[in-house]
Amino acid sequence: MAYQLLSTPAAVAEVVQHLANQRAIAVDTETTELDPFRARVRLLQLATPERVCLIDLFQLPADALAPVKLLLEAERPTKILHNAKFDAKMLRHHFGIELNGLFDTMLAAQLIGAGDTTQRHSLAELASHYLNRQLDKSLRASDWSGQLTPAMLNYAAEDVAVLLPLRQALIEKIKSLQLVDVAKLEFDCVLPTAAMELAGMHLDAQQWQRLVNRYEKKCRQLETEIKQTLAATGSQIDLFGEADINLSSAQQVQEALAHLGISIHSTREWELESHIAEHAVIAQLIEYRHAQKFLSTYGRLAEHIHPVTGRIHADFRQIGTPTGRFACSDPNLQQIPNIPDVRACFSAPPGRRLIVADYSQIELCILAELSRDPKLLEAFHQDVDLHRATASLMFNVPLDQVTKEQRATAKVINYGLMYGMGAAGLAAQIQTSVIEAERLMNRYFEIYRGVAQWLRAAADTAVAVGHSRTPRGRLWNFRFDPRDREQVATVQRLGKNAPIQGCQADMLKRAMRVVYDALKPFDAHIVNSVHDELVIEVDQTVAQEVAELVYDRMVAAAQEFISAVPVHVDVHIGHDWTK
């Protein structure tokens, strides 16, 4: 692989002048570590079809990158990267460079292959799949802080050069699959995602440890009480008069409960809940499980606090599911329980505030947009409580006489049917018979005929064409055996929900970009993104101004997708992640 190794400001300036006139350039970095707060960026690779340039950043003064910064921050030429978030974080943190005009080959491939569980999206695998080229990645873990060998430089040159033909192959697929609009949306979201990960979220470690201690104490207390109760059933008793069973063993718990006269087929929570009224030990068992799950999942969360920044920097994957939703890990900040004591530990440092902004009933807004059901549209335009309005129609009672239980039932149906919930699932959720659940579902569809028609059409279309799309064009390909009734039923269920959940994901990503751009003049940063919610940390002196700006931008983003009903965003300013 022919390349130029650049190590002087004059050489860099000459190359940038040449690259600025290109329609597209490939960009890559080689770093000493993967952690941006500990790593150094050794090489910056830039390539066109005619020229591959490797810039040795260890040999250059900081001001030599000024022309590079202008090049990479401009909308043109298009910058082609693979897993652009990684490079965006490195360049932003170390050099203050904000990548714009991106084409991410990894995200493009994920969009094309949504639903294909066999395809992998590393650069080597994509080069093999689309170009029939084999990349040797063995030098990726080289010591990039030391002397650069010819083999290392050749590796770096090949890595960046391959992005140019790979993009061309991916563009053809994106155009043929009509994914251009959603690809632009994903590429625009790379920079906000990178900035969000760099910003991190503040966790009060001492407050968190006190919470963990309380959960551990609760677990010990509940375990003792449960085992004492079960000891009276004739179970094997230990030296302390407690039942000698493992509460994590479904079989042992089931056998012990049988001695109490509680006959159950499994120890799943929905089945246990049906016996709460008769046996207090069931409520204790459920509470114990919740506490244990919290401890096993989040008990060591404080270990993720970065020693350099004192904050938690999670990994957000933009296309975490085929519907386009984010996935989060190390740790999963999207699944932090919405319990006040838990969320309160995620706080703003002194002098700062958290703005929590979330779309109100956004999935139902999307359902109204897609189905154009008259009753649903009317409820939104009258700005009434949708679940209460649904209950009023379903149970034929005045709006002000709807009971708490009736509203809860309507809420389960409103959301459950979008996810393909059947009568058995509804019956379990609201603790009624399957026959009664079927009656309620039929009544719901009598009221919302447009919803029924849209859900049926979405399910049938998914089976007929083998895929589902969002309004922005995001594609989910379904691979199934049309002769297998169970597989067909699964595709029908996914076909109902994919356009709704996918549209929600598209909308939030659009909101992230417009909010990110609007925050630039302020000391404010997006620190978390949770499906329909953004969390922004801001200097307290401008918190109110920024909150109003966030509201306006999130509404504007939603209106690019929804025009049939008004969209509301609930915004709260506080010291921590609670509302």
Side-chain angles (χ1 to χ4, degrees), residues 207-221:
Q207 185 176 352
W208 185 262
Q209 189 56 52
R210 289 194 293 270
L211 180 70
V212 169
N213 292 343
R214 289 206 306 271
Y215 269 89
E216 289 175 341
K217 182 178 179 181
K218 178 190 290 186
C219 271
R220 290 193 297 269
Q221 179 180 341

Side-chain angles (χ1 to χ4, degrees), residues 250-317:
Q251 181 180 348
Q252 291 184 33
V253 170
Q254 193 169 338
E255 291 173 354
L257 291 177
H259 287 293
L260 284 177
I262 306 173
S263 178
I264 53 176
H265 299 291
S266 74
T267 61
R268 292 173 182 166
E269 186 167 323
W270 64 266
E271 187 166 355
L272 289 174
E273 284 178 341
S274 62
H275 298 278
I276 283 180
E278 300 90 37
H279 301 277
V281 70
I282 296 294
Q284 290 177 319
L285 183 60
I286 292 173
E287 187 180 6
Y288 171 80
R289 282 185 171 181
H290 287 176
Q292 277 286 80
K293 183 177 180 180
F294 173 83
L295 288 171
S296 62
T297 307
Y298 302 106
R300 303 176 70 175
L301 184 69
E303 294 179 8
H304 289 277
I305 296 176
H306 199 287
V308 175
T309 67
R311 300 169 72 89
I312 292 178
H313 303 272
D315 177 23
F316 288 85
R317 295 181 301 286

Side-chain angles (χ1 to χ4, degrees), residues 27-48:
V27 180
D28 193 18
T29 60
E30 299 299 340
T31 65
T32 60
E33 291 191 44
L34 301 179
D35 179 353
F37 301 106
R38 291 190 173 101
R40 296 180 67 196
V41 184
R42 179 61 188 270
L43 289 182
L44 173 62
Q45 302 104 280
L46 305 170
T48 68

Side-chain angles (χ1 to χ4, degrees), residues 227 230-245:
K227 287 185 174 182
L230 296 179
T233 67
S235 300
Q236 186 174 347
I237 300 173
D238 64 15
L239 295 174
F240 302 97
E242 298 175 359
D244 187 16
I245 68 169

Side-chain angles (χ1 to χ4, degrees), residues 371-545:
S371 70
R372 299 298 172 111
D373 184 280
K375 292 285 188 184
L376 205 53
L377 295 175
E378 181 183 0
F380 275 112
H381 282 290
Q382 290 181 350
D383 197 24
V384 298
D385 181 314
L386 184 62
H387 305 311
R388 186 172 294 277
T390 299
S392 174
L393 294 169
M394 286 183 61
F395 297 104
N396 197 28
V397 296
L399 201 63
D400 59 356
Q401 294 181 27
V402 171
T403 67
K404 181 180 179 181
E405 291 74 19
Q406 288 171 333
R407 183 187 181 279
T409 297
K411 183 176 181 179
V412 170
I413 295 176
N414 274 331
Y415 284 113
L417 295 183
M418 285 191 292
Y419 286 88
M421 178 186 286
L426 176 60
Q429 283 268 10
I430 63 175
Q431 297 183 24
T432 190
S433 67
V434 174
I435 294 176
E436 175 62 11
E438 287 178 342
R439 188 191 69 78
L440 290 172
M441 289 174 60
N442 290 335
R443 177 59 181 154
Y444 178 91
F445 286 132
E446 286 175 9
I447 297 165
Y448 297 119
R449 294 180 184 273
V451 170
Q453 182 178 356
W454 183 85
L455 289 172
R456 186 165 54 249
D460 292 344
T461 299
V463 173
V465 302
H467 65 255
S468 180
R469 284 191 185 271
T470 68
R472 190 57 66 96
R474 185 182 299 276
L475 179 68
W476 183 351
N477 287 301
F478 302 119
R479 287 166 173 75
F480 65 101
D481 182 351
R483 298 163 300 180
D484 187 317
R485 294 178 62 182
E486 186 174 332
Q487 290 186 37
V488 169
T490 297
V491 171
Q492 288 176 325
R493 176 175 55 81
L494 295 175
K496 296 173 184 178
N497 180 249
I500 299 170
Q501 190 179 109
C503 182
Q504 179 191 19
D506 294 348
M507 187 187 305
L508 190 74
K509 289 178 179 179
R510 179 60 183 150
M512 283 183 66
R513 181 68 204 207
V514 297
V515 168
Y516 173 79
D517 289 339
L519 294 180
K520 288 180 180 178
F522 302 93
D523 181 5
H525 313 280
I526 300 173
V527 296
N528 202 359
S529 174
V530 190
H531 305 322
D532 60 358
E533 172 183 285
L534 294 179
V535 184
I536 295 99
E537 185 183 304
V538 60
D539 186 280
Q540 64 183 9
T541 60
V542 292
Q544 187 59 47
E545 181 181 1

